[in-house]
Amino acid sequence: MKTSALKTSKFLTKDDAGEGILVTMRKLTEENVEMEGKPERLKWILHFDGNFKPLVLNSTNIASIERIHGDETDEWMGKQIVLFNDENVSFGGEITGGVRVDINRTKRYLAKNAPPANAAAPKQVESIHDMESDIPF
């Protein structure tokens, strides 16, 4: 068992995202992310359809989603993004890795899978490996 399996989090982690997951955004909430007994620290939390943990948003990921889907957060809901573990993310002066929105893979996936105007909503996938195999990840 990996040591990462010993740590539980109610929020999406770099290990959850791995090489990449395609998620559909469902709602945005503001929640306290601090541990019990500590002063409140509110952060924006992005929730997804399916069996995915929510993501604590930071300014980098907000800016990335904005580049893909615009600056109106209400219009993000029902739209998709690819999340992955970016090994180059640093925290506290150390390179730790972390969850990032993959702008390029998201745009390629959305362009390739854009439904016709009268088509049904796209199917939900659980992992990047469930996506079309000809998309170069």
Side-chain angles (χ1 to χ4, degrees):
M1 173 183 353
K2 293 189 176 212
T3 55
S4 60
L6 301 174
K7 304 172 200 164
T8 59
S9 173
K10 67 179 186 176
F11 299 110
L12 194 80
T13 67
K14 65 182 184 177
D15 295 317
D16 297 324
E19 294 178 26
I21 55 175
L22 178 71
V23 294
T24 301
M25 297 177 281
R26 179 172 40 95
K27 72 177 180 177
L28 189 62
T29 60
E30 191 174 27
E31 299 177 25
N32 179 22
V33 296
E34 198 54 74
M35 294 172 60
E36 191 173 322
K38 294 200 174 192
E40 185 175 72
R41 185 168 53 119
L42 296 175
K43 293 276 192 173
W44 288 103
I45 309 297
L46 186 58
H47 300 262
F48 308 107
D49 288 343
N51 192 24
F52 296 102
K53 295 176 187 176
L55 175 67
V56 178
L57 287 176
N58 58 33
S59 58
T60 301
N61 286 336
I62 291 169
S64 296
I65 298 170
E66 184 178 348
R67 285 184 57 195
I68 300 165
H69 293 299
D71 66 354
E72 178 52 60
T73 60
D74 289 341
E75 294 179 11
W76 294 357
M77 301 314 121
K79 294 184 179 171
Q80 296 176 306
I81 53 174
V82 174
L83 301 173
F84 76 108
N85 173 21
D86 181 346
E87 295 177 0
N88 297 309
V89 171
S90 62
F91 180 77
E94 294 184 29
I95 296 178
T96 59
V99 179
R100 288 287 186 249
V101 176
D102 191 314
I103 295 169
N104 294 325
R105 283 197 279 181
T106 300
K107 285 183 175 180
R108 284 196 310 267
Y109 178 80
L110 295 175
K112 180 170 177 52
N113 294 287
N118 60 352
K123 69 175 186 147
Q124 177 70 31
V125 295
E126 292 292 320
S127 150
I128 206 77
H129 301 292
D130 294 337
M131 299 169 81
E132 298 288 333
S133 61
D134 60 314
I135 298 175
F137 291 109

